[in-house]
């Protein structure tokens, strides 16, 4: 029997300057009403990163919430999938019976989820089950503002450029860095070939332009010499990660945070000890081909 919907007034509040917001008065453990669904969608477009706090969800509730936005994309690292629901990848530093509960170093670098796929992510949602007392924040960047505040000469220079994105390139760098991750299997490598996306993409719903390169998965600019490509990307990354464009989310148990990957980057900040447990469930919603 469907759970009875608790009625309360929906309220949206900005959490940051141009990026970040919270929406209260919504219970995600019961089917969403049309007005709630519309409010969440609009708040996401307005804030880019949206927190819906104080939720008490079963796994099926969280999956149902993610499906409100589109088809769910299982992560390539299938060894970290939820044991009963492949749509969910578990982010956790908890070790049980000598086996990691989930991936412990996920997203500890600036990136946009699934930019390494031919059809990247529309949105990502995280549900916090365990959070450390200190540390564990997630940082987000408004990539609309990152583009809009570029010098005119730089905008002209990058107009029409494309870049190569690669998951294997990032994964191998993570192996070299911390020796924790296992090498990709042949199947995982085959399903994540290098892809090409525009350096500046147009958001399909808002029509606004956003910078669409990231340090995590963007290897190089197509048609440029290696040194020139690295210099241009470094310039864009330094500009994009200006603190003025950032929002820092401090997690509480029960937070559901969803963000728009089409116009943002994010990074896990770390800063907590292994004794402080951090466990989140993650869903990724498939988007459309960037243009």
């Amino acid at each position: 029997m469907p759970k009875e919907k608790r009625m309360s007034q929906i309220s949206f509040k900005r959490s940051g300057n141009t990026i970040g917001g919270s929406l209260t008065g919504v219970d995600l453990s019961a089917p969403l009403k049309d007005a709630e669904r519309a409010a969440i969608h609009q708040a996401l477009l307005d804030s880019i990163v949206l927190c819906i706090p104080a939720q008490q969800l079963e796994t099926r509730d969280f999956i149902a919430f993610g499906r409100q936005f589109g088809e769910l994309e299982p992560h390539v690292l299938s060894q970290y999938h939820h044991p009963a629901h492949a749509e969910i990848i578990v982010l956790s530093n908890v070790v049980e019976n000598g086996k990691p509960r989930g991936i412990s170093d996920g997203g500890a670098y600036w990136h946009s989820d699934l930019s390494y796929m031919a059809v990247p992510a529309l949105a990502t949602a995280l549900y916090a089950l365990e959070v450390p007392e200190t540390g564990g924040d997630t940082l987000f960047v408004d990539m609309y503002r990152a583009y809009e505040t570029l010098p005119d000469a730089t905008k002209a220079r990058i107009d029409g450029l494309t870049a190569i994105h690669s998951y294997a390139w990032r994964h191998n760098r993570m192996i070299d860095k911390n020796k924790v991750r296992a090498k990709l299997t042949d199947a995982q490598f085959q399903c994540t070939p290098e892809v090409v996306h525009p350096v500046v993409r147009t958001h399909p719903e808002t029509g606004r332009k956003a910078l669409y390169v990231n340090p995590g998965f963007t290897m190089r600019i197509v048609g440029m010499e290696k040194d020139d490509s690295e210099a241009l990307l470094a310039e864009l990354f330094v500009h994009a990660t200006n603190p003025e464009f950032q929002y820092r989310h401090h997690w509480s148990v029960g937070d559901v945070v969803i963000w728009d990957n089409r116009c943002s980057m994010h990074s896990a900040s770390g800063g907590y000890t292994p004794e402080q447990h951090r466990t989140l469930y993650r869903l990724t919603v498939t988007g459309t081909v960037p243009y």
Side-chain angles (χ1 to χ4, degrees):
M1 179 179 295
K3 181 177 177 179
E4 183 179 352
K5 171 67 72 174
R6 296 196 300 269
M7 298 300 293
S8 56
Q9 187 174 0
I10 299 174
S11 177
F12 173 73
K13 181 181 179 181
R14 287 280 183 188
S15 301
N17 294 324
T18 62
I19 184 170
S22 63
L23 195 72
T24 55
V26 178
D27 175 14
L28 300 181
S29 69
L32 292 174
K33 296 181 179 296
D34 289 345
E36 294 172 324
R37 189 180 299 107
I40 292 171
H41 181 254
Q42 189 59 54
L44 179 63
L45 292 180
D46 291 343
S47 63
I48 305 175
V49 181
L50 180 66
C51 178
I52 307 174
Q55 299 298 310
Q56 298 180 9
L57 306 182
E58 301 291 338
T59 306
R60 65 178 179 272
D61 300 328
F62 185 46
I63 292 173
F65 169 70
R67 285 180 174 154
Q68 299 290 328
F69 296 89
E71 183 180 352
L72 301 181
E73 176 89 12
H75 195 277
V76 62
L77 297 182
S78 55
Q79 63 267 39
Y80 299 115
H81 287 175
H82 186 285
H85 303 279
E87 303 97 326
I88 292 175
I89 184 170
V90 180
L91 309 179
S92 181
N93 66 337
V94 178
V95 177
E96 298 172 316
N97 300 318
K99 182 179 179 181
R101 180 187 292 174
I103 185 168
S104 62
D105 63 344
Y109 47 87
W110 288 110
H111 64 290
S112 176
D113 287 333
L114 271 61
S115 76
Y116 54 82
M117 301 292 285
V119 183
L122 183 159
T124 302
L126 288 180
Y127 176 46
L129 285 78
E130 297 178 286
V131 299
E133 291 185 6
T134 58
D137 297 349
T138 304
L139 304 176
F140 296 90
V141 163
D142 179 349
M143 296 298 270
Y144 287 141
R145 291 289 294 151
Y147 172 73
E148 292 165 355
T149 56
L150 284 170
D152 289 342
T154 305
K155 288 181 182 178
R157 184 183 181 194
I158 64 177
D159 182 42
L161 293 182
T162 58
I164 298 171
H165 296 240
S166 170
Y167 184 76
W169 175 73
R170 160 54 60 180
H171 191 82
N172 290 336
R173 293 170 73 187
M174 295 293 286
I175 292 173
D176 293 341
K177 178 181 178 181
N178 58 28
K179 312 299 180 185
V180 173
R181 295 196 180 191
K183 290 184 177 180
L184 295 177
T185 66
D186 289 343
Q188 290 169 337
F189 183 80
Q190 291 298 323
C191 74
T192 54
E194 294 178 1
V195 298
V196 175
H197 295 308
V199 171
V200 179
R201 72 176 294 182
T202 301
H203 196 288
E205 295 186 77
T206 67
R208 295 175 66 185
K209 290 184 177 181
L211 200 57
Y212 196 64
V213 289
N214 62 84
F217 304 126
T218 306
M219 288 177 58
R220 63 181 180 275
I221 304 294
V222 174
M224 277 192 178
E225 295 293 331
K226 182 176 182 292
D227 289 348
D228 293 337
S229 172
E230 289 181 351
L232 177 56
L233 287 174
E235 177 185 337
L236 294 175
F237 297 153
V238 167
H239 176 78
T241 52
N242 185 322
E244 292 183 6
F245 310 148
Q246 293 184 25
Y247 162 66
R248 175 184 289 266
H249 185 74
H250 180 67
W251 290 90
S252 296
V253 171
D255 280 356
V256 171
V257 174
I258 183 167
W259 63 88
D260 192 333
N261 286 288
R262 300 167 293 185
C263 52
S264 68
M265 287 195 304
H266 61 282
S267 176
S269 66
Y272 55 96
T273 65
E275 292 75 25
Q276 298 185 75
H277 290 175
R278 184 178 189 266
T279 300
L280 302 97
Y281 285 172
R282 173 183 139 172
L283 296 171
T284 308
V285 182
T286 301
T288 55
V289 177
Y291 66 91

